[in-house]
């Protein structure tokens, strides 16, 4: 029983580690900030309620599963609007205004294209690209095979490329 | 290596520099890489880190934790409940049935095999309903009249010995050191102190202090007490009065006033009549004072 998540210290540690990833996971799916924040709260409250039977190493998969189930119960989906990471260092300073404009346009297109992906493709793709998760971890979270993750990644890339380059 | 595999390797962060340049050489995959890299710079907006934590903490303070019991504990609880139920059932169903009569009380009842037992006053029968099919056996203290259904051996155990029959009618009297068996039908076998005697229909065996006193002829089809009358033949006054005390809620003083033997009977229905039946043949008189009876010799003043 010492291994469960009932102590407040342990619980807070788990929130610090998994609060944001769970938020991202929900946001990638639905694009609704309020909903994502709400579901993070609900998922952690559920974790607390069931803390006696969830060990620390099971907490992550418990949270993803609960968040996903809660998400499926909700209907409000919005357009996924990502923002630019604030702390992304500029590699090269003093780039030409043309280049900067072009890059901005590219990002805008990419942004729209991501929003137009199917939920399944987008979630897998963003978990990998933004969250930096490996395929095995994504397969685990989404409860699908690694082959299915590969397929979603390939489809997502193909769909994004098509939209960015042909429009 | 297949180029798609290389792409996935790259996306998993496992591609080598050469593999990346191999991908970049391919126009389609070069643009995939560009997309993949550009996407990495995005992030989801507005994660309310601190606000969420506060909301969670406020909420969990209000809510009690769900007490979970693991499946073994749950199983043990259910098992314990069943154990109690089964133990109770076994205990109840294995308990002996006891039938007890008080002073002036008769009780007629059927045993599980429909054999009939009439229990005289101040007597007790114990038997086990569940074991009855396997073994027709009961324990008797006092006096009882049995009408036994035909079947396997039927045994009456008493502190003085046992009576075994197959199917018959008989009376067993076992009080103090006295052990009397009267057979009305069939044949009974009486076992006492290692001896075994057969008592045929119309016979009366009197055993006292583990000794067979007499095996005499006796008439009738049922003991008289069944019809609310106690009969005696050459009985001591004390034995007669003891029986009287069992049939009426009284105490008899000076039970040993006469040494004459008593042959006759008394009714269970009227104390005065009963006392007269006992006293007259023995030249005694009696006085009833509430629940006490005093005996004295006639003309003794």
């Amino acid at each position: 029983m010492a291994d469960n998540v009932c102590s407040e210290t342990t619980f807070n540690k788990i929130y610090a580690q998994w609060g944001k990833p769970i938020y991202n996971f929900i946001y990638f799916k639905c694009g609704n900030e309020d909903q994502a924040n709400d579901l993070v709260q609900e998922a952690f409250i559920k974790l607390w309620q069931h803390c006696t039977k969830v060990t620390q190493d099971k907490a992550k998969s418990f949270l993803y599963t609960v968040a996903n189930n809660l998400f499926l119960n909700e209907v409000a989906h919005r357009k996924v609007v990502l923002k630019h990471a604030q702390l992304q260092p500029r590699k090269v300073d003093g780039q030409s205004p043309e280049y900067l404009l072009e890059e901005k346009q590219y990002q805008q297109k990419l942004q729209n294209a991501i929003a137009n992906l199917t939920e399944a493709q987008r979630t897998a793709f963003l978990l990998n690209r933004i969250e930096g998760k490996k395929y095995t971890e994504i397969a685990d979270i989404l409860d699908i095979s690694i082959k299915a993750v590969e397929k979603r990644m390939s489809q997502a890339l193909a769909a994004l490329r098509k939209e960015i380059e042909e429009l | 290596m297949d180029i798609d595999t290389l792409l996935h390797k790259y996306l998993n962060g496992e591609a080598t520099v050469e593999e990346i340049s191999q991908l970049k050489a391919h126009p389609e995959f070069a643009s995939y890489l560009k997309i993949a890299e550009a996407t990495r710079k995005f992030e989801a907006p507005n994660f309310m880190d601190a606000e969420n934590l506060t909301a969670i903490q406020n909420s969990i303070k209000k809510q009690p934790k769900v007490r979970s019991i693991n499946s073994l504990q749950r199983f043990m609880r259910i098992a314990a409940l069943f154990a109690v139920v089964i133990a109770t059932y076994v205990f109840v169903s294995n308990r002996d049935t006891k039938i007890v009569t008080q002073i002036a009380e008769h009780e007629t009842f059927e045993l599980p095999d429909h054999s009939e037992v009439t229990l005289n006053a101040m007597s007790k029968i114990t038997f086990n309903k569940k074991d009855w099919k396997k073994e027709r056996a009961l324990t008797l203290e006092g006096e009882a009249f049995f009408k036994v259904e035909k079947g396997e051996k039927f045994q009456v155990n008493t502190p003085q010995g046992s009576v075994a029959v197959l199917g018959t009618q008989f009376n067993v009297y076992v009080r103090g050191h006295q052990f009397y068996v009267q057979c009305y039908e069939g044949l009974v076998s009486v076992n006492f102190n290692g001896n075994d005697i057969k008592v045929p229909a119309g016979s009366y065996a009197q055993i006292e202090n583990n000794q067979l006193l007499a095996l005499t002829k006796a008439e009738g089809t049922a003991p008289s007490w069944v019809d609310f009358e106690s009969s005696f033949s050459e009985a001591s006054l004390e034995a007669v009065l003891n029986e009287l005390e069992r049939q009426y809620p009284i105490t008899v003083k000076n039970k040993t006033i006469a040494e004459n033997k008593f042959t006759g009977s008394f009714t269970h229905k009227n104390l005065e009549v009963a006392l007269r039946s006992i006293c007259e043949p023995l030249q005694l008189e009696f006085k009833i004072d509430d629940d006490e009876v005093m005996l004295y010799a006639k003309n003794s003043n």
Side-chain angles (χ1 to χ4, degrees):
Chain A
M1 281 291 163
D3 199 29
N4 68 32
V5 295
C6 291
S7 99
E8 211 167 318
T9 331
T10 312
F11 184 79
N12 288 345
K13 211 178 84 198
I14 288 168
Y15 176 79
Q17 189 177 357
W18 294 108
K20 181 105 194 274
I22 296 294
Y23 172 86
N24 285 348
F25 174 57
I26 300 296
Y27 186 81
F28 295 160
K29 280 167 168 284
C30 68
N32 185 332
E33 300 156 25
D34 294 340
Q35 193 182 10
N37 279 313
D38 284 351
L39 291 190
V40 167
Q41 294 177 19
E42 279 189 57
F44 276 88
I45 290 165
K46 278 227 155 39
L47 175 66
W48 182 258
Q49 288 169 341
H50 295 88
C51 72
T52 53
K53 54 184 183 194
V54 181
T55 57
Q56 287 185 43
D57 43 330
K58 288 276 164 59
K60 174 195 158 194
S61 91
F62 179 89
L63 287 167
Y64 273 106
T65 307
V66 167
N68 191 40
N69 291 344
L70 290 170
F71 168 78
L72 294 174
N73 293 338
E74 309 237 351
V75 279
H77 295 199
R78 291 187 196 167
K79 191 178 176 211
V80 174
V81 181
L82 302 167
K83 67 170 183 175
H84 245 102
Q86 301 291 322
L87 301 172
Q88 201 65 32
R90 285 255 159 245
K91 277 179 189 160
V92 188
D93 275 328
Q95 284 153 329
S96 70
E98 288 83 10
Y99 175 81
L100 288 176
L101 181 66
E102 207 174 289
E103 198 190 18
K104 200 166 183 198
Q105 283 171 342
Y106 181 83
Q107 279 163 355
Q108 194 53 53
K109 281 181 183 174
L110 178 58
Q111 167 83 267
N112 288 334
I114 288 171
N116 288 336
L117 290 173
T118 67
E119 184 246 295
Q121 291 168 359
R122 184 175 55 241
T123 307
F125 184 67
L126 294 184
L127 282 174
N128 173 261
R129 290 291 90 202
I130 298 182
E131 288 279 283
K133 292 190 188 304
K134 308 263 187 200
Y135 283 16
T136 48
E137 202 178 350
I138 297 167
D140 208 36
I141 290 170
L142 298 177
D143 199 19
I144 56 178
S145 68
I146 291 177
K147 274 268 164 261
V149 178
E150 286 178 1
K151 197 173 162 197
R152 288 185 191 186
M153 292 298 293
S154 298
Q155 285 172 344
L157 280 170
L160 292 173
R161 175 170 168 256
K162 196 175 165 210
E163 190 163 338
I164 292 166
E165 292 183 358
E166 285 182 9
L167 281 176
Chain B
M1 199 181 284
D2 172 12
I3 192 141
D4 278 313
T5 313
L6 276 188
L7 174 66
H8 294 308
K9 221 174 154 191
Y10 164 78
L11 291 170
N12 252 334
E14 288 160 358
T16 61
V17 180
E18 294 92 74
E19 284 168 337
I20 293 173
S21 45
Q22 221 176 312
L23 281 167
K24 279 187 176 162
H26 197 294
E28 183 189 344
F29 286 85
S31 60
Y32 287 160
L33 257 56
K34 193 181 177 195
I35 291 167
E37 283 309 306
T39 310
R40 269 174 63 183
K41 293 173 190 159
F42 287 125
E43 68 179 17
N46 297 330
F47 172 54
M48 314 289 271
D49 194 344
E51 289 88 340
N52 285 342
L53 184 59
T54 312
I56 292 163
Q57 284 169 342
N58 286 341
S59 173
I60 63 188
K61 268 169 203 146
K62 278 180 234 146
Q63 296 187 17
K65 283 179 216 170
V66 174
R67 259 194 82 221
S68 85
I69 48 176
N70 66 39
S71 55
L72 179 66
Q73 273 174 309
R74 196 182 311 236
F75 171 78
M76 292 302 280
R77 285 186 190 190
I78 294 167
L81 188 67
F82 271 105
V84 168
V85 169
I86 291 166
T88 309
Y89 172 75
V90 168
F91 176 72
V92 169
S93 64
N94 279 349
R95 240 181 1 182
D96 288 342
T97 307
K98 244 184 230 175
I99 293 152
V100 181
T101 53
Q102 303 300 326
I103 290 174
E105 194 184 356
H106 286 187
E107 177 89 39
T108 301
F109 59 92
E110 263 190 8
L111 293 168
D113 65 343
H114 302 298
S115 294
E116 197 182 291
V117 181
T118 306
L119 205 54
N120 202 351
M122 291 295 281
S123 303
K124 183 167 98 178
I125 274 184
T126 314
F127 66 96
N128 194 306
K129 262 185 195 161
K130 212 176 152 225
D131 294 340
W132 195 260
K133 265 184 203 153
K134 280 184 268 168
E135 187 191 21
R136 298 199 292 175
L138 52 79
T139 307
L140 168 72
E141 286 169 50
E143 185 168 15
F145 174 55
F146 297 89
K147 287 183 189 173
V148 178
E149 286 291 309
K150 289 210 163 40
E152 293 294 304
K153 190 172 93 167
F154 181 104
Q155 182 155 330
V156 179
N157 297 312
T158 79
Q160 305 267 333
S162 63
V163 184
V165 298
L166 292 177
T168 177
Q169 296 186 14
F170 63 100
N171 187 67
V172 179
Y173 175 103
V174 49
R175 296 189 195 274
H177 297 296
Q178 296 158 332
F179 181 30
Y180 303 153
V181 179
Q182 182 159 358
C183 181
Y184 297 92
E185 208 182 283
L187 177 71
V188 304
S189 154
V190 179
N191 191 289
F192 61 97
N193 198 27
N195 301 310
D196 200 13
I197 58 163
K198 303 283 181 220
V199 182
S203 294
Y204 184 48
Q206 282 173 283
I207 297 150
E208 278 180 29
N209 297 314
N210 291 324
Q211 299 291 321
L212 179 63
L213 289 190
L215 184 61
T216 51
K217 288 274 166 216
E219 284 165 19
T221 54
S224 58
W225 64 262
V226 173
D227 300 319
F228 301 96
E229 217 175 79
S230 292
S231 300
F232 300 89
S233 162
E234 293 290 306
S236 71
L237 178 62
E238 197 183 355
V240 175
L241 293 173
N242 281 343
E243 178 69 13
L244 186 74
E245 281 180 340
R246 283 192 280 270
Q247 302 298 348
Y248 295 98
I250 53 154
T251 315
V252 182
K253 299 281 175 187
N254 48 10
K255 282 182 198 161
T256 49
I257 188 167
E259 291 194 350
N260 308 18
K261 296 285 182 193
F262 176 77
T263 301
S265 61
F266 69 78
T267 175
H268 299 171
K269 290 175 175 166
N270 185 319
L271 179 59
E272 260 196 75
V273 174
L275 277 166
R276 216 173 293 141
S277 322
I278 298 167
C279 290
E280 275 178 8
L282 298 177
Q283 300 290 304
L284 295 171
E285 292 208 29
F286 63 90
K287 209 166 123 186
I288 303 170
D289 189 6
D290 283 340
D291 54 357
E292 279 191 8
V293 173
M294 188 70 133
L295 298 183
Y296 46 91
K298 248 182 188 171
N299 314 318
S300 67
N301 300 355

